[in-house]
Amino acid sequence: QVQLVQSGAEVKKPGASVKVSCKASGYTFTGNYIHWLRQAPGQGFEYMGWIDPNSGGTMYMQNFQGRVTMTRDTSISTAYMELSSLTSDDTAVYYCARFPSALDVPPNWGQGTLVTVSS
Amino acid sequence: EIVLTQSPGTLSLSPGERATLSCRASQSVSGGRLAWHQQRPGQAPRLLIYSTSSRATGIPDRFSGSGSGTDFSLTISRLEPEDFAVYYCQHYDRPPLAFGGGTKVEI
């Protein structure tokens, strides 16, 4: 079955960077997009962007331009999301999700990774 | 960009009752490209409905979606204990895709 397994929780200091991984299994990794979203405590979802694992092409939402980098390693079916210059406002659960295309619905989500930014 | 507004923020009901959740879009969502997701406490979201009214794999038929244009709804015909959760609508009509703020269904 399709699984997206994310890396574990992180605690970072303001100004640092964090890199979250998302390992895919049960489907052709290069045949679907990986999108990233985050959810601050008690809040709704904030959409961050996507990566096409086949081409490496990316789209980042304007709110994250210049601070986010999405990459992938097709040899291990893993996508990565790195966010830099962290502030306390970046404290959230970060989710990866499998989308069939750039504009679609996600039939599968990762379990989420809690990133806490605190001095 | 399309902004989705969900109402009510919280719905207080009992098991066995009917729940109706609303999602209003700031612009018309063409092609019915509107989905609904369920998120139980401490869990990742789960896709319930896509294309306005199509149930995702394994979703029971007490969940149904309807609507068009700017007004969409999710109906749960008879609430089961496991249905008490937060529900989010999502459009995928044009970039950027977006989610609504959520409706919490509580006992």
Side-chain angles (χ1 to χ4, degrees), chain B residues 38 40 46-49 53-65 74-80 82-83 87:
Chain B
Q38 176 195 65
R40 294 171 176 148
R46 175 174 74 142
L47 176 65
L48 295 177
I49 301 285
S53 59
S54 297
R55 279 185 296 276
T57 303
I59 302 304
D61 60 8
R62 65 179 181 273
F63 291 93
S64 63
L74 173 72
T75 300
I76 311 170
S77 59
R78 294 173 309 280
L79 284 164
E80 297 287 341
E82 62 268 26
D83 299 336
Y87 294 83

mmCIF file of all heavy atoms in Angstrom, chain B residues 38 40 46-49 53-65 74-80 82-83 87:
data_model
loop_
_atom_site.group_PDB
_atom_site.id
_atom_site.type_symbol
_atom_site.label_atom_id
_atom_site.label_comp_id
_atom_site.label_asym_id
_atom_site.label_seq_id
_atom_site.Cartn_x
_atom_site.Cartn_y
_atom_site.Cartn_z
ATOM 1 N N GLN B 38 -10.922 14.888 6.170
ATOM 2 C CA GLN B 38 -11.213 14.730 7.598
ATOM 3 C C GLN B 38 -9.895 14.641 8.361
ATOM 4 O O GLN B 38 -8.965 13.956 7.916
ATOM 5 C CB GLN B 38 -12.008 13.440 7.817
ATOM 6 C CG GLN B 38 -12.304 13.106 9.268
ATOM 7 C CD GLN B 38 -12.758 11.650 9.426
ATOM 8 O OE1 GLN B 38 -12.008 10.708 9.171
ATOM 9 N NE2 GLN B 38 -14.013 11.477 9.847
ATOM 10 N N ARG B 40 -8.748 13.738 12.245
ATOM 11 C CA ARG B 40 -8.995 13.384 13.637
ATOM 12 C C ARG B 40 -7.856 13.896 14.492
ATOM 13 O O ARG B 40 -6.743 14.107 13.979
ATOM 14 C CB ARG B 40 -9.145 11.861 13.780
ATOM 15 C CG ARG B 40 -10.368 11.304 13.077
ATOM 16 C CD ARG B 40 -10.362 9.806 13.067
ATOM 17 N NE ARG B 40 -11.576 9.246 12.467
ATOM 18 C CZ ARG B 40 -11.608 8.113 11.785
ATOM 19 N NH1 ARG B 40 -10.508 7.397 11.637
ATOM 20 N NH2 ARG B 40 -12.760 7.681 11.276
ATOM 21 N N ARG B 46 -7.308 12.854 6.000
ATOM 22 C CA ARG B 46 -7.726 11.747 5.147
ATOM 23 C C ARG B 46 -8.697 12.287 4.107
ATOM 24 O O ARG B 46 -9.638 13.017 4.448
ATOM 25 C CB ARG B 46 -8.400 10.674 6.004
ATOM 26 C CG ARG B 46 -8.986 9.505 5.226
ATOM 27 C CD ARG B 46 -9.509 8.416 6.140
ATOM 28 N NE ARG B 46 -10.761 8.750 6.798
ATOM 29 C CZ ARG B 46 -11.749 7.873 7.012
ATOM 30 N NH1 ARG B 46 -11.628 6.627 6.560
ATOM 31 N NH2 ARG B 46 -12.834 8.235 7.676
ATOM 32 N N LEU B 47 -8.467 11.940 2.841
ATOM 33 C CA LEU B 47 -9.352 12.387 1.772
ATOM 34 C C LEU B 47 -10.689 11.672 1.878
ATOM 35 O O LEU B 47 -10.746 10.447 1.930
ATOM 36 C CB LEU B 47 -8.711 12.109 0.407
ATOM 37 C CG LEU B 47 -9.559 12.438 -0.824
ATOM 38 C CD1 LEU B 47 -9.819 13.937 -0.925
ATOM 39 C CD2 LEU B 47 -8.857 11.928 -2.093
ATOM 40 N N LEU B 48 -11.780 12.467 1.907
ATOM 41 C CA LEU B 48 -13.131 11.907 1.961
ATOM 42 C C LEU B 48 -13.830 11.970 0.600
ATOM 43 O O LEU B 48 -14.373 10.984 0.109
ATOM 44 C CB LEU B 48 -14.006 12.688 2.947
ATOM 45 C CG LEU B 48 -13.671 12.674 4.427
ATOM 46 C CD1 LEU B 48 -14.639 13.591 5.168
ATOM 47 C CD2 LEU B 48 -13.730 11.260 4.981
ATOM 48 N N ILE B 49 -13.850 13.177 0.030
ATOM 49 C CA ILE B 49 -14.643 13.478 -1.167
ATOM 50 C C ILE B 49 -13.765 14.243 -2.147
ATOM 51 O O ILE B 49 -13.000 15.124 -1.742
ATOM 52 C CB ILE B 49 -15.858 14.363 -0.812
ATOM 53 C CG1 ILE B 49 -16.776 13.686 0.214
ATOM 54 C CG2 ILE B 49 -16.631 14.782 -2.071
ATOM 55 C CD1 ILE B 49 -17.645 12.574 -0.335
ATOM 56 N N SER B 53 -18.468 15.456 -5.235
ATOM 57 C CA SER B 53 -19.408 14.456 -4.723
ATOM 58 C C SER B 53 -18.926 13.010 -4.815
ATOM 59 O O SER B 53 -19.680 12.102 -4.445
ATOM 60 C CB SER B 53 -20.740 14.579 -5.470
ATOM 61 O OG SER B 53 -20.554 14.391 -6.856
ATOM 62 N N SER B 54 -17.706 12.780 -5.279
ATOM 63 C CA SER B 54 -17.204 11.407 -5.399
ATOM 64 C C SER B 54 -16.493 10.991 -4.125
ATOM 65 O O SER B 54 -15.585 11.686 -3.672
ATOM 66 C CB SER B 54 -16.237 11.292 -6.589
ATOM 67 O OG SER B 54 -16.893 11.574 -7.801
ATOM 68 N N ARG B 55 -16.921 9.858 -3.560
ATOM 69 C CA ARG B 55 -16.263 9.386 -2.346
ATOM 70 C C ARG B 55 -14.943 8.718 -2.661
ATOM 71 O O ARG B 55 -14.825 7.954 -3.628
ATOM 72 C CB ARG B 55 -17.166 8.399 -1.594
ATOM 73 C CG ARG B 55 -18.239 9.059 -0.735
ATOM 74 C CD ARG B 55 -19.003 8.022 0.080
ATOM 75 N NE ARG B 55 -19.733 7.099 -0.787
ATOM 76 C CZ ARG B 55 -20.915 7.351 -1.292
ATOM 77 N NH1 ARG B 55 -21.534 8.492 -1.028
ATOM 78 N NH2 ARG B 55 -21.513 6.466 -2.075
ATOM 79 N N ALA B 56 -13.934 9.002 -1.838
ATOM 80 C CA ALA B 56 -12.634 8.351 -1.983
ATOM 81 C C ALA B 56 -12.755 6.877 -1.568
ATOM 82 O O ALA B 56 -13.736 6.467 -0.942
ATOM 83 C CB ALA B 56 -11.591 9.068 -1.136
ATOM 84 N N THR B 57 -11.743 6.118 -1.912
ATOM 85 C CA THR B 57 -11.744 4.679 -1.621
ATOM 86 C C THR B 57 -11.940 4.414 -0.128
ATOM 87 O O THR B 57 -11.258 5.005 0.709
ATOM 88 C CB THR B 57 -10.410 4.058 -2.077
ATOM 89 O OG1 THR B 57 -10.228 4.331 -3.463
ATOM 90 C CG2 THR B 57 -10.405 2.562 -1.845
ATOM 91 N N GLY B 58 -12.900 3.559 0.178
ATOM 92 C CA GLY B 58 -13.097 3.148 1.556
ATOM 93 C C GLY B 58 -13.941 4.078 2.411
ATOM 94 O O GLY B 58 -14.124 3.813 3.603
ATOM 95 N N ILE B 59 -14.430 5.155 1.827
ATOM 96 C CA ILE B 59 -15.230 6.110 2.604
ATOM 97 C C ILE B 59 -16.686 5.647 2.628
ATOM 98 O O ILE B 59 -17.271 5.403 1.572
ATOM 99 C CB ILE B 59 -15.112 7.529 2.006
ATOM 100 C CG1 ILE B 59 -13.650 7.979 1.986
ATOM 101 C CG2 ILE B 59 -15.985 8.507 2.793
ATOM 102 C CD1 ILE B 59 -12.956 7.953 3.341
ATOM 103 N N PRO B 60 -17.277 5.540 3.823
ATOM 104 C CA PRO B 60 -18.662 5.035 3.914
ATOM 105 C C PRO B 60 -19.667 5.990 3.279
ATOM 106 O O PRO B 60 -19.434 7.199 3.195
ATOM 107 C CB PRO B 60 -18.897 4.896 5.420
ATOM 108 C CG PRO B 60 -17.828 5.683 6.081
ATOM 109 C CD PRO B 60 -16.682 5.776 5.140
ATOM 110 N N ASP B 61 -20.817 5.414 2.873
ATOM 111 C CA ASP B 61 -21.788 6.210 2.119
ATOM 112 C C ASP B 61 -22.602 7.164 2.980
ATOM 113 O O ASP B 61 -23.451 7.892 2.458
ATOM 114 C CB ASP B 61 -22.702 5.307 1.285
ATOM 115 C CG ASP B 61 -23.506 4.330 2.118
ATOM 116 O OD1 ASP B 61 -23.468 4.449 3.379
ATOM 117 O OD2 ASP B 61 -24.169 3.450 1.534
ATOM 118 N N ARG B 62 -22.343 7.218 4.279
ATOM 119 C CA ARG B 62 -23.003 8.259 5.084
ATOM 120 C C ARG B 62 -22.391 9.634 4.808
ATOM 121 O O ARG B 62 -22.966 10.657 5.187
ATOM 122 C CB ARG B 62 -22.937 7.941 6.573
ATOM 123 C CG ARG B 62 -21.559 7.920 7.177
ATOM 124 C CD ARG B 62 -21.648 7.606 8.692
ATOM 125 N NE ARG B 62 -20.337 7.591 9.337
ATOM 126 C CZ ARG B 62 -19.568 6.531 9.396
ATOM 127 N NH1 ARG B 62 -19.957 5.382 8.849
ATOM 128 N NH2 ARG B 62 -18.385 6.595 9.993
ATOM 129 N N PHE B 63 -21.219 9.654 4.141
ATOM 130 C CA PHE B 63 -20.598 10.910 3.738
ATOM 131 C C PHE B 63 -21.024 11.240 2.304
ATOM 132 O O PHE B 63 -20.885 10.408 1.404
ATOM 133 C CB PHE B 63 -19.076 10.818 3.788
ATOM 134 C CG PHE B 63 -18.516 10.718 5.171
ATOM 135 C CD1 PHE B 63 -18.270 9.483 5.746
ATOM 136 C CD2 PHE B 63 -18.223 11.859 5.908
ATOM 137 C CE1 PHE B 63 -17.754 9.379 7.033
ATOM 138 C CE2 PHE B 63 -17.705 11.777 7.197
ATOM 139 C CZ PHE B 63 -17.471 10.526 7.755
ATOM 140 N N SER B 64 -21.524 12.456 2.089
ATOM 141 C CA SER B 64 -21.875 12.869 0.732
ATOM 142 C C SER B 64 -21.545 14.342 0.546
ATOM 143 O O SER B 64 -21.599 15.138 1.494
ATOM 144 C CB SER B 64 -23.355 12.623 0.460
ATOM 145 O OG SER B 64 -24.162 13.391 1.322
ATOM 146 N N GLY B 65 -21.184 14.683 -0.679
ATOM 147 C CA GLY B 65 -20.848 16.056 -1.006
ATOM 148 C C GLY B 65 -21.735 16.570 -2.123
ATOM 149 O O GLY B 65 -22.199 15.797 -2.962
ATOM 150 N N LEU B 74 -20.812 19.438 2.677
ATOM 151 C CA LEU B 74 -20.534 18.059 3.056
ATOM 152 C C LEU B 74 -21.613 17.664 4.055
ATOM 153 O O LEU B 74 -21.837 18.385 5.024
ATOM 154 C CB LEU B 74 -19.157 17.925 3.688
ATOM 155 C CG LEU B 74 -18.812 16.552 4.286
ATOM 156 C CD1 LEU B 74 -18.585 15.529 3.184
ATOM 157 C CD2 LEU B 74 -17.561 16.652 5.169
ATOM 158 N N THR B 75 -22.259 16.528 3.807
ATOM 159 C CA THR B 75 -23.279 16.031 4.712
ATOM 160 C C THR B 75 -22.862 14.679 5.266
ATOM 161 O O THR B 75 -22.402 13.813 4.511
ATOM 162 C CB THR B 75 -24.641 15.904 4.004
ATOM 163 O OG1 THR B 75 -25.049 17.192 3.523
ATOM 164 C CG2 THR B 75 -25.706 15.364 4.952
ATOM 165 N N ILE B 76 -22.991 14.538 6.574
ATOM 166 C CA ILE B 76 -22.798 13.242 7.225
ATOM 167 C C ILE B 76 -24.183 12.838 7.716
ATOM 168 O O ILE B 76 -24.752 13.490 8.596
ATOM 169 C CB ILE B 76 -21.799 13.330 8.391
ATOM 170 C CG1 ILE B 76 -20.529 14.059 7.961
ATOM 171 C CG2 ILE B 76 -21.463 11.925 8.900
ATOM 172 C CD1 ILE B 76 -19.578 14.396 9.095
ATOM 173 N N SER B 77 -24.752 11.779 7.143
ATOM 174 C CA SER B 77 -26.172 11.486 7.359
ATOM 175 C C SER B 77 -26.485 11.079 8.797
ATOM 176 O O SER B 77 -27.485 11.510 9.365
ATOM 177 C CB SER B 77 -26.635 10.403 6.384
ATOM 178 O OG SER B 77 -25.870 9.227 6.554
ATOM 179 N N ARG B 78 -25.639 10.226 9.372
ATOM 180 C CA ARG B 78 -25.835 9.796 10.760
ATOM 181 C C ARG B 78 -24.453 9.703 11.404
ATOM 182 O O ARG B 78 -23.662 8.841 11.064
ATOM 183 C CB ARG B 78 -26.510 8.414 10.811
ATOM 184 C CG ARG B 78 -27.931 8.381 10.293
ATOM 185 C CD ARG B 78 -28.442 6.927 10.224
ATOM 186 N NE ARG B 78 -27.522 6.052 9.522
ATOM 187 C CZ ARG B 78 -27.423 5.957 8.221
ATOM 188 N NH1 ARG B 78 -28.213 6.699 7.443
ATOM 189 N NH2 ARG B 78 -26.568 5.139 7.658
ATOM 190 N N LEU B 79 -24.202 10.609 12.327
ATOM 191 C CA LEU B 79 -22.874 10.693 12.925
ATOM 192 C C LEU B 79 -22.531 9.449 13.738
ATOM 193 O O LEU B 79 -23.296 9.014 14.596
ATOM 194 C CB LEU B 79 -22.773 11.933 13.806
ATOM 195 C CG LEU B 79 -22.605 13.255 13.061
ATOM 196 C CD1 LEU B 79 -22.908 14.424 13.989
ATOM 197 C CD2 LEU B 79 -21.205 13.371 12.487
ATOM 198 N N GLU B 80 -21.357 8.905 13.436
ATOM 199 C CA GLU B 80 -20.782 7.831 14.238
ATOM 200 C C GLU B 80 -19.740 8.443 15.174
ATOM 201 O O GLU B 80 -19.207 9.526 14.900
ATOM 202 C CB GLU B 80 -20.129 6.790 13.317
ATOM 203 C CG GLU B 80 -21.100 6.096 12.369
ATOM 204 C CD GLU B 80 -21.987 5.096 13.091
ATOM 205 O OE1 GLU B 80 -21.649 4.670 14.217
ATOM 206 O OE2 GLU B 80 -23.040 4.723 12.509
ATOM 207 N N GLU B 82 -16.681 7.955 15.546
ATOM 208 C CA GLU B 82 -15.395 8.246 14.904
ATOM 209 C C GLU B 82 -15.470 9.434 13.936
ATOM 210 O O GLU B 82 -14.447 9.857 13.396
ATOM 211 C CB GLU B 82 -14.883 7.007 14.153
ATOM 212 C CG GLU B 82 -15.768 6.514 13.017
ATOM 213 C CD GLU B 82 -16.779 5.467 13.452
ATOM 214 O OE1 GLU B 82 -17.158 5.452 14.652
ATOM 215 O OE2 GLU B 82 -17.188 4.655 12.590
ATOM 216 N N ASP B 83 -16.668 9.976 13.713
ATOM 217 C CA ASP B 83 -16.811 11.109 12.797
ATOM 218 C C ASP B 83 -16.553 12.451 13.468
ATOM 219 O O ASP B 83 -16.499 13.483 12.786
ATOM 220 C CB ASP B 83 -18.223 11.132 12.185
ATOM 221 C CG ASP B 83 -18.530 9.877 11.380
ATOM 222 O OD1 ASP B 83 -17.573 9.216 10.914
ATOM 223 O OD2 ASP B 83 -19.723 9.569 11.223
ATOM 224 N N TYR B 87 -13.094 19.027 9.678
ATOM 225 C CA TYR B 87 -13.272 18.807 8.252
ATOM 226 C C TYR B 87 -12.822 20.043 7.480
ATOM 227 O O TYR B 87 -13.172 21.174 7.834
ATOM 228 C CB TYR B 87 -14.739 18.488 7.944
ATOM 229 C CG TYR B 87 -15.155 17.167 8.545
ATOM 230 C CD1 TYR B 87 -15.547 17.084 9.876
ATOM 231 C CD2 TYR B 87 -15.109 15.994 7.794
ATOM 232 C CE1 TYR B 87 -15.887 15.871 10.450
ATOM 233 C CE2 TYR B 87 -15.458 14.768 8.354
ATOM 234 C CZ TYR B 87 -15.838 14.721 9.682
ATOM 235 O OH TYR B 87 -16.171 13.511 10.246
#
